[in-house]
Amino acid sequence: MTLEEAREFFKQDRYATEATGIVIDEIGENYSKVSLELKNHHKAAGDHVMGGVFYTIADFAFAVATNSPEHLTVTISANASYYRQPKDGKLIAECRMCKEGKRNCFYESTVTDGQGNTCVKVAFTGAHIN
């Protein structure tokens, strides 16, 4: 799938693309890179980025790395480790395959800020549904 085909397919993921504002920057075999310009609506009451925003970008990166119109994968478990708040107004998530099985797959999304500081890591176990 090309980058433009991925963007067209995943614009149906309206929560990630419309409500949250995540953009697909790169795709490759078992890999994706997505980004988000942080806005005020991404912040919690304490004026920090809400944990769900970090998870959403990591999860969307997983979806882009593992799905296509012909091959669908769903998350069956995820484990997030939160390290720090971003130092600037951007989040970047890169997702890479750790192991591919016949029915299940294992990926890790690393979320960094625009300066390259690791903010969150999420380990995903997925199940291939077709």
Side-chain angles (χ1 to χ4, degrees):
M1 182 164 37
T2 68
L3 180 59
E4 288 308 314
E5 290 169 336
R7 287 177 175 159
E8 182 66 26
F9 178 69
F10 284 101
K11 76 179 178 183
Q12 296 303 312
D13 192 333
R14 290 174 288 283
Y15 181 73
T17 59
E18 290 178 19
T20 307
I22 302 170
V23 175
I24 302 171
D25 297 318
E26 296 177 30
I27 61 165
E29 187 172 341
N30 305 310
Y31 170 81
S32 74
K33 181 178 181 180
V34 302
S35 62
L36 169 64
E37 295 294 331
L38 293 167
K39 309 277 189 226
N40 280 338
H41 70 271
H42 295 118
K43 293 187 175 182
D47 200 37
H48 58 274
V49 178
M50 190 149 203
V53 175
F54 290 112
Y55 182 82
T56 298
I57 193 170
D59 185 55
F60 188 63
F62 172 67
V64 174
T66 60
N67 285 287
S68 69
E70 304 81 29
H71 178 78
L72 296 177
T73 301
V74 296
T75 302
I76 57 176
S77 71
N79 183 33
S81 295
Y82 294 82
Y83 298 110
R84 69 167 9 132
Q85 285 288 307
K87 300 266 187 211
D88 60 12
K90 186 170 188 170
L91 292 179
I92 300 161
E94 289 187 87
C95 186
R96 290 181 169 83
M97 181 182 70
C98 300
K99 183 180 186 307
E100 183 72 39
K102 185 174 181 177
R103 303 250 333 144
N104 294 333
C105 59
F106 305 88
Y107 280 72
E108 183 176 74
S109 287
T110 300
V111 181
T112 60
D113 62 18
Q115 298 176 15
N117 298 303
T118 300
C119 299
V120 174
K121 288 191 177 216
V122 183
F124 291 95
T125 301
H128 301 304
I129 59 173
N130 70 348

